[in-house]
Amino acid sequence: LLGIYKNSIQLRDLITELLDFSKQEQGHMKIKVSPHDIVAFFYENYLLFKNYSTIKNINFIFEKGVDKLEVWYDQAQLQKVINNLLSNAIKHSKDGDTITLGITKEGEFAVLRVSDTGCGIDADEVDKIFNRFYQVDDKGNTAGSSGIGIGLALTKGIVELHHGTIVVKSKPGQGSTFIVKLPLGTDYYGGGDIATDADSLIRSDYLQRKIASAVKIEQREETTSGKVPDIKILIVEDNDAIREVLVEIFRPYYNVLSASNGKQGLELVQ
């Protein structure tokens, strides 16, 4: 049930992303900005991704140049930006790599940096990654985790709706840094872009539900973990999703080992 729940959330988020991308393509995407402490906002997201990065054995660092910084932005839309940038950083990092989420004030701009020490991007691809449906050829990436190439295009569109900019600096084998600049104040926004109290409440409720879902998943995983039995079984299955389901089914009753192919399985048996 937990697996179904997680996958249904991922499917819902993908559908939402596709709909948002369609709105953006047709010029119908709107934002409703209101003042928020962007340092606290990014720190909350750092905490949400911290557990996931720990599971992946990736070092995750939060850096702030100021303790508090008020910025006008649409929380629900900027949430998609930070989700995409951090998810990509984790996706293209391996054991022992480091991801840094930083926020500073530079002149009249709030500057967000998401850096990783992962695989990096070739020079001839850097200028293309914000194009719709473009996918970086990451030979070190695991199968099935490359996405469909709309995340960064949607991210750029949301940043530009906030009258900001996004650029990437990268070197193959040395990692990448995405830099987002958002203007301070409301000079760039028209009256229709400013959120009313009702708009703010709706977006606040949306974010609270997202956080509650993440906490609920983590709590369920903690309650299902217990003492591992002494009897061992080995599951050999080349389909990642099926293998994970089988491992979860038998984990309460056995000490489960798993392998993705026969060679790995034979080595574990021996």
Side-chain angles (χ1 to χ4, degrees):
L1 287 174
L2 180 60
I4 294 171
Y5 181 62
K6 283 184 174 180
N7 288 331
S8 66
I9 289 175
Q10 291 174 352
L11 181 58
R12 182 197 63 190
D13 289 345
L14 177 58
I15 292 171
T16 301
E17 187 175 55
L18 287 166
L19 291 172
D20 286 341
F21 183 72
S22 178
K23 287 181 184 178
Q24 177 189 306
E25 286 281 280
Q26 298 174 40
H28 296 316
M29 178 176 281
K30 305 295 182 184
I31 59 172
K32 291 290 184 179
V33 301
S34 53
H36 305 281
D37 179 9
I38 201 168
V39 179
F41 177 69
F42 285 132
Y43 185 67
E44 288 172 2
N45 280 275
Y46 163 76
L47 294 177
L48 287 174
F49 277 85
K50 179 66 174 176
N51 184 56
Y52 185 54
S53 64
T54 301
I55 294 172
K56 296 288 186 180
N57 196 28
I58 296 171
N59 302 310
F60 194 17
I61 300 171
F62 180 72
E63 295 181 347
K64 58 179 181 178
V66 291
D67 291 328
K68 187 175 182 179
L69 182 60
E70 184 179 273
V71 180
W72 287 73
Y73 59 89
D74 184 317
Q75 278 191 301
Q77 296 298 342
L78 200 62
Q79 183 72 50
K80 297 168 187 174
V81 171
I82 191 67
N83 282 353
N84 190 272
L85 294 180
L86 289 179
S87 295
N88 280 346
I90 291 175
K91 183 191 304 181
H92 297 292
S93 297
K94 57 184 183 300
D95 283 4
D97 281 342
T98 298
I99 296 173
T100 303
L101 172 62
I103 180 70
T104 59
K105 178 179 181 292
E106 297 180 10
E108 295 303 312
F109 292 90
V111 181
L112 162 71
R113 288 182 172 85
V114 177
S115 304
D116 66 73
T117 58
C119 57
I121 306 169
D122 290 333
D124 59 345
E125 293 186 306
V126 167
D127 294 333
K128 304 174 185 176
I129 61 171
F130 294 109
N131 296 343
R132 60 177 183 172
F133 306 124
Y134 186 80
Q135 295 172 277
V136 175
D137 183 16
D138 179 10
K139 296 179 176 60
N141 197 12
T142 56
S145 62
S146 59
I148 58 176
I150 67 171
L152 286 175
L154 178 61
T155 292
K156 182 180 180 183
I158 292 172
V159 170
E160 290 176 346
L161 282 174
H162 285 82
H163 304 280
T165 60
I166 180 169
V167 296
V168 60
K169 298 180 179 179
S170 184
K171 289 185 179 180
Q174 298 183 29
S176 306
T177 298
F178 285 84
I179 304 170
V180 177
K181 288 188 176 182
L182 299 175
L184 303 177
T186 59
D187 293 344
Y188 294 91
Y189 297 110
D193 296 330
I194 306 297
T196 64
D197 291 341
D199 291 327
S200 299
L201 286 173
I202 291 171
R203 281 156 178 76
S204 176
D205 178 65
Y206 165 80
L207 292 173
Q208 290 300 322
R209 283 188 283 110
K210 292 284 284 187
I211 293 172
S213 294
V215 172
K216 188 183 296 182
I217 291 174
E218 186 172 339
Q219 289 174 340
R220 289 185 185 182
E221 288 176 336
E222 289 175 355
T223 57
T224 54
S225 61
K227 186 178 179 180
V228 179
D230 294 332
I231 303 173
K232 296 180 181 178
I233 67 168
L234 168 65
I235 296 172
V236 184
E237 169 59 57
D238 62 352
N239 183 290
D240 293 344
I242 294 177
R243 186 174 66 253
E244 289 172 5
V245 169
L246 291 172
V247 169
E248 290 301 319
I249 288 173
F250 289 102
R251 181 172 286 162
Y253 312 104
Y254 303 100
N255 186 340
V256 182
L257 305 176
S258 65
S260 61
N261 58 59
K263 182 178 179 182
Q264 292 177 358
L266 183 59
E267 290 173 354
L268 285 172
V269 168
Q270 293 172 340

